[in-house]
Amino acid sequence: MPSQTFAQFYNLGKHQYELDFVDVPINNGDLPLFIDPYAISKRNDRWSVDCHNKIVSFFQRALDCIRKGEQDKVHYMFSQLKEPNETRFGLSHERPRGRGIGDEQADDLSHALTESTAVRTGLIVDLEDCELLIDGIGRDKISDLTTNIIKANLISYTADQCELFNIPTHDLPVGFVWNFETNQWDSVSAPLPVCNDRKVILVPKAIARFDSEFSYTEYHQHFVLNFLQAESLNAGDSLVRTLKNGEKRPPTKKSLKENHPATKSYLYTFTKEHPEVLQKYKRSKAEKLKDITNEELAVLAEQEQKYDFDGAKAKLDAIPTGDTSADDYHSHMIGVMTAIFYPHLIHPHKEHRIHNGRKRIDIVHENAAKDGFFLTLPQNKNVPSAYIFSECKNYSEDPANHELDQLSGRFSINRGKFGFLLCRKIENKDLFFQRCKDTAQDDRGFIIPLDDEDIKLLLDLKKQKKEREINSFLGECFKKLVS
């Protein structure tokens, strides 16, 4: 059977660029992707922070129980860590079957942690440390364990995406979810999509990885051996090489490996004596973290490699103005805004309800920026912006003060005070920016209007991978609100 993705199954008409989640295959096995707890820990959006807190809470409780000798509690905590086949992540090449944590493997994982000297001595602090120091625990098990711990978050995220794209769901049993208030496993049901009689749990592409950030072989090759080379050279031991000109050279890594093998048991012994090397390794990973790209995901899912930016512009032109086409415009802008602003803006919600349902916001993204304009909003411009709001107005005439007041009325310190007013055409932009400036000066929030021509410009810049120019465009628009 030809490969079919989740979006194709539901006829979403969206490319991976326009989707916030990984568009997984539904009939041809898993994608070789993983969820890495370390990558999640370095994200600053609220959804990821909540996931990180839950991962830390669960793992630290498990470590505390191990160190107190409370084996029954340890066994209970790992007893419901099942294979998360619903995400379609892993290393299976045929029908998803999972390779991580089955009933026996859950016992093996519990045993590996319980018997680990690194755990008992406190050298293991974070879940991702297991990849470096504990035999039998690698990227697949760490990914599966992470998936189980944040399962409730992923289920909630899936429900949001299904609401966003009007995907039908069914209230189904989803197994056990860890209750962080009672420290117990609760058997729950939740609304999930079903493809070919199999449940699907969607994963945000922002937390997907081709591999775990931590690798014990990398740690050994480029940090442990480098340290040993320098130590040997400074000590002038017998392994140091002397060239004909008298220059001293450190021993080769090959010669060092004979007594310092790339095994986790050795890495534990070394790290216990030189914990600063592990800290150096961790700092190096934080500096190199990169989000997975749309191009990489599209190739992986056997989609067309390139998103049709010109087609997105043509589709925008083809949508008539007016109420009858408002939903089409709204739906298209959800995909376009995701395509333009990923990975800075993530987790779009459609018609997000606030004030007990009395008010609605057309599109809400979480601000996950690590650089650029959206990072400068809270850090340099002192604009609350945990969430970025967008209102869609498919009008044939210019929007007016009413539309500005509608959007600014959604702002708050906790939610954010920045948004976009998306509209089809603004004849008098100078006048409208002055209205936006008045709103800002009245301390009612910051609104940047974007009409079709602006959106087309941003699509062109994204196509050319001109992220700096996108940031400059937004920066110039913001200046008009404050100067």
Side-chain angles (χ1 to χ4, degrees):
M1 181 183 296
S3 177
Q4 186 181 34
T5 69
F6 181 85
Q8 291 168 344
F9 182 86
Y10 285 107
N11 298 313
L12 299 186
K14 300 290 184 184
H15 189 277
Q16 180 65 79
Y17 265 82
E18 299 177 300
L19 300 171
D20 188 72
F21 57 85
V22 178
D23 191 16
V24 293
I26 60 169
N27 56 8
N28 274 5
D30 300 340
L31 288 180
L33 294 172
F34 303 89
I35 297 178
D36 180 21
Y38 180 75
I40 292 176
S41 75
K42 297 304 177 183
R43 300 192 60 79
N44 58 9
D45 58 280
R46 292 190 178 187
W47 189 88
S48 297
V49 170
D50 184 57
C51 288
H52 170 64
N53 290 339
K54 289 180 177 178
I55 294 167
V56 171
S57 174
F58 183 94
F59 192 63
Q60 287 301 316
R61 177 174 173 79
L63 294 183
D64 289 343
C65 291
I66 290 171
R67 290 164 185 159
K68 292 177 182 178
E70 297 172 338
Q71 300 305 317
D72 289 345
K73 291 183 179 180
V74 177
H75 180 77
Y76 174 74
M77 289 187 71
F78 288 94
S79 64
Q80 299 301 331
L81 297 175
K82 306 300 182 183
E83 299 157 336
N85 290 330
E86 297 90 348
T87 63
R88 305 298 201 277
F89 277 24
L91 299 175
S92 299
H93 297 291
E94 299 174 357
R95 190 173 181 84
R97 58 186 180 274
R99 295 168 55 93
I101 306 175
D103 293 332
E104 293 183 4
Q105 289 176 321
D107 290 338
D108 292 342
L109 181 61
S110 175
H111 179 76
L113 287 169
T114 302
E115 295 301 314
S116 170
T117 306
V119 169
R120 294 197 303 272
T121 58
L123 196 57
I124 293 287
V125 176
D126 301 306
L127 176 56
E128 57 268 23
D129 294 342
C130 297
E131 159 63 20
L132 304 178
L133 304 174
I134 301 182
D135 285 320
I137 303 181
R139 61 180 183 175
D140 53 346
K141 289 186 175 62
I142 292 173
S143 176
D144 287 352
L145 178 55
T146 303
T147 304
N148 276 274
I149 295 171
I150 65 171
K151 191 174 184 179
N153 297 68
L154 293 172
I155 289 172
S156 177
Y157 171 82
T158 301
D160 287 339
Q161 294 303 297
C162 288
E163 181 183 11
L164 186 70
F165 293 108
N166 298 316
I167 296 170
T169 59
H170 306 272
D171 196 47
L172 300 168
V174 294
F176 288 86
V177 171
W178 183 253
N179 187 320
F180 287 87
E181 294 183 359
T182 63
N183 291 316
Q184 292 181 332
W185 289 106
D186 293 339
S187 179
V188 300
S189 296
L192 287 179
V194 177
C195 301
N196 297 334
D197 298 322
R198 295 182 67 85
K199 293 173 287 190
V200 177
I201 294 178
L202 300 173
V203 178
K205 59 190 179 187
I207 68 167
R209 292 292 183 272
F210 285 109
D211 207 341
S212 58
E213 293 294 335
F214 283 17
S215 164
Y216 80 94
T217 56
E218 177 189 55
Y219 174 50
H220 177 263
Q221 180 71 17
H222 299 298
F223 287 82
V224 174
L225 293 183
N226 286 3
F227 176 88
L228 293 173
Q229 281 183 316
E231 187 178 58
S232 180
L233 186 62
N234 291 334
D237 62 30
S238 59
L239 293 176
V240 172
R241 298 170 294 156
T242 304
L243 303 182
K244 291 182 179 180
N245 62 5
E247 181 183 353
K248 301 291 185 180
R249 289 288 184 88
T252 64
K253 290 184 177 181
K254 182 178 180 180
S255 65
L256 288 172
K257 287 179 181 179
E258 295 178 6
N259 294 320
H260 308 283
T263 63
K264 294 186 180 183
S265 58
Y266 170 72
L267 289 176
Y268 161 71
T269 301
F270 172 87
T271 304
K272 185 179 179 182
E273 297 176 358
H274 305 286
E276 71 278 6
V277 179
L278 176 59
Q279 295 308 312
K280 182 179 180 181
Y281 176 70
K282 288 186 173 184
R283 288 194 299 271
S284 76
K285 305 307 290 184
E287 297 167 359
K288 298 176 182 178
L289 274 174
K290 290 184 179 180
D291 291 305
I292 199 166
T293 67
N294 286 305
E295 293 92 337
E296 291 170 329
L297 287 174
V299 172
L300 190 64
E302 298 180 356
Q303 289 188 352
E304 292 181 7
Q305 182 173 357
K306 294 183 179 180
Y307 172 58
D308 188 0
F309 288 93
D310 294 331
K313 293 190 294 181
K315 185 175 180 179
L316 181 60
D317 285 336
I319 299 174
T321 59
D323 290 343
T324 57
S325 299
D327 286 345
D328 293 337
Y329 175 66
H330 189 183
S331 177
H332 187 52
M333 292 312 298
I334 290 172
V336 166
M337 294 291 282
T338 299
I340 293 171
F341 293 122
Y342 172 81
H344 308 295
L345 303 185
I346 62 173
H347 298 184
H349 299 265
K350 179 181 179 182
E351 296 183 334
H352 184 70
R353 294 171 179 81
I354 61 173
H355 298 162
N356 295 321
R358 295 188 300 274
K359 295 181 180 179
R360 284 185 158 193
I361 303 166
D362 281 354
I363 309 172
V364 183
H365 284 85
E366 288 197 41
N367 187 353
K370 300 174 184 176
D371 54 45
F373 174 79
F374 293 105
L375 180 63
T376 67
L377 280 176
Q379 290 197 354
N380 300 341
K381 299 178 174 63
N382 296 318
V383 178
S385 50
Y387 298 96
I388 305 297
F389 307 112
S390 298
E391 283 286 337
C392 300
K393 301 301 177 185
N394 195 40
Y395 298 166
S396 57
E397 68 276 2
D398 285 12
N401 286 334
H402 172 73
E403 285 71 40
L404 284 176
D405 294 342
Q406 184 183 35
L407 179 52
S408 66
R410 272 65 167 165
F411 293 156
S412 75
I413 293 294
N414 290 330
R415 289 191 296 271
K417 301 190 72 173
F418 178 87
F420 294 108
L421 183 62
L422 307 176
C423 56
R424 304 309 302 272
K425 189 176 183 179
I426 303 177
E427 293 288 352
N428 192 337
K429 283 195 174 182
D430 290 339
L431 175 61
F432 196 75
F433 262 105
Q434 182 58 51
R435 290 171 172 169
C436 295
K437 182 177 179 180
D438 293 342
T439 300
Q441 290 183 338
D442 289 343
D443 196 27
R444 292 188 291 124
F446 299 85
I447 298 172
I448 291 179
L450 297 176
D451 63 12
D452 284 6
E453 294 306 312
D454 296 323
I455 292 297
K456 291 176 185 177
L457 172 62
L458 291 171
L459 283 168
D460 285 337
L461 293 175
K462 189 71 174 184
K463 178 181 179 180
Q464 300 168 46
K465 299 182 179 180
K466 293 184 176 180
E467 294 291 337
R468 181 177 298 177
E469 285 78 1
I470 292 176
N471 287 318
S472 296
F473 173 85
L474 296 175
E476 289 300 317
C477 290
F478 188 85
K479 284 182 182 179
K480 295 178 182 180
L481 306 179
V482 296
S483 60

